[in-house]
């Protein structure tokens, strides 16, 4: 009887150790994504990992320019999702934007994943009664207004620069006159507006939604072009198959419903 009990205990212990080992054997998949995707990808992480307990998604959210630099400098990354084509192009061998001969993007995996909108947002109460990009342009030329925008290496900042050029506004002169303040990524710009340290800011509609900010206008395509988020598995990926599987999940209906709930639209061509 004692031997039977001992055998049973040993079997139970082996099963527990086997289960623990199975749980411990997870694969870390490193995903570098634009800061504007923080809320949606964090939500989707829980959904994906529940269905794939063998996968641990490790996110790095920042401006696409910063992420591009980190990848270029050797940071561990399996999947890159940029808020602009420029940063992805700069990492793809043979692209005219890639002056440094960088070879990180797997062109067979690269897709246009999402589309966003560039919007003009104001703090609670809208103290300067700003109602449109047209009005903002006039205020920047003649009035007392402080605009928050992204740095020149940040996609949202690059889109804003195009808007300023559309209105024939001199960004450098405006900044020198104290009419523009900058953020290193879209979240910093959003925070400045949220805290009412500026009169308005240019951010994506998805960030406006997540922060509960009032959108007073949206940029037309002729003002700054389309806001497309490309995604690609990297050639340097330690786990390319797992990264591709997660990217495939992001193009599906379940993930797109989450993206759509905050204002993203699918840019995937099927």
């Amino acid at each position: 009887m004692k031997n039977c009990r001992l055998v049973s205990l040993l079997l139970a212990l082996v099963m527990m150790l086997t289960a623990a080992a199975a749980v411990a054997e997870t694969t870390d998949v490193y995903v570098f994504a634009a800061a504007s995707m923080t809320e949606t990808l964090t939500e989707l992480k829980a959904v994906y990992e529940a269905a794939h307990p063998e996968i641990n998604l490790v996110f790095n959210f920042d401006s696409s320019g910063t992420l591009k630099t980190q990848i270029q400098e050797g940071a561990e990354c399996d999947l890159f999702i940029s808020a602009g084509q420029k940063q992805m192009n700069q990492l793809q061998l043979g692209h005219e934007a890639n002056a440094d001969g960088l070879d990180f993007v797997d062109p067979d995996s690269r897709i246009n994943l999402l589309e966003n909108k560039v919007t003009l947002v104001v703090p609670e109460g809208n103290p300067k009664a700003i109602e449109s990009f047209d009005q903002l342009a006039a205020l920047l030329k003649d009035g007392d207004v402080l605009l928050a925008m992204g740095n020149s290496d940040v996609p949202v900042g690059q889109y804003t620069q195009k808007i300023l050029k559309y209105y024939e506004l001199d960004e450098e002169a405006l900044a020198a006159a104290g009419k523009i303040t900058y953020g290193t990524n879209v979240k910093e710009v959003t925070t400045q507006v949220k805290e009412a340290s500026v009169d308005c800011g240019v951010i994506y509609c998805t960030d406006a939604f997540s922060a509960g900010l009032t959108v007073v206008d949206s940029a037309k395509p002729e003002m700054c072009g389309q806001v497309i988020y490309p995604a690609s598995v990297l050639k340097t990926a330690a786990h390319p198959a797992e990264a591709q599987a997660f990217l495939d999940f992001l193009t599906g209906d379940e993930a797109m419903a989450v993206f759509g709930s905050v204002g993203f639209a699918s840019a995937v061509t099927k």
Side-chain angles (χ1 to χ4, degrees), residues 135-158:
Q135 182 192 14
L136 172 62
L139 288 171
L140 286 170
K141 288 178 180 177
D142 308 316
D144 177 22
V145 67
L146 182 58
L147 165 70
M149 63 178 282
N151 289 341
S152 61
D153 65 335
V154 179
V156 74
Q158 293 160 3

Side-chain angles (χ1 to χ4, degrees), residues 32-36 38 60-67 70 81 83 184-186:
F32 282 31
S36 49
T38 302
N60 179 20
F61 296 110
D62 211 320
S63 73
S64 299
T66 296
L67 297 175
Q70 291 174 351
I81 310 175
T184 61
N185 57 48
V186 70

Side-chain angles (χ1 to χ4, degrees), residues 21-31 45 48-49 52-59 76 78 237-243 246:
V23 171
E25 290 175 2
T26 58
T27 299
D28 290 336
V29 177
Y30 289 84
V31 180
K45 170 183 169 71
Y48 191 78
E49 290 180 351
H52 301 84
E54 75 284 3
I55 298 297
N56 178 43
L57 296 170
V58 182
F59 290 127
E76 186 172 1
D78 297 298
H239 304 289
E242 291 83 355
F246 180 58

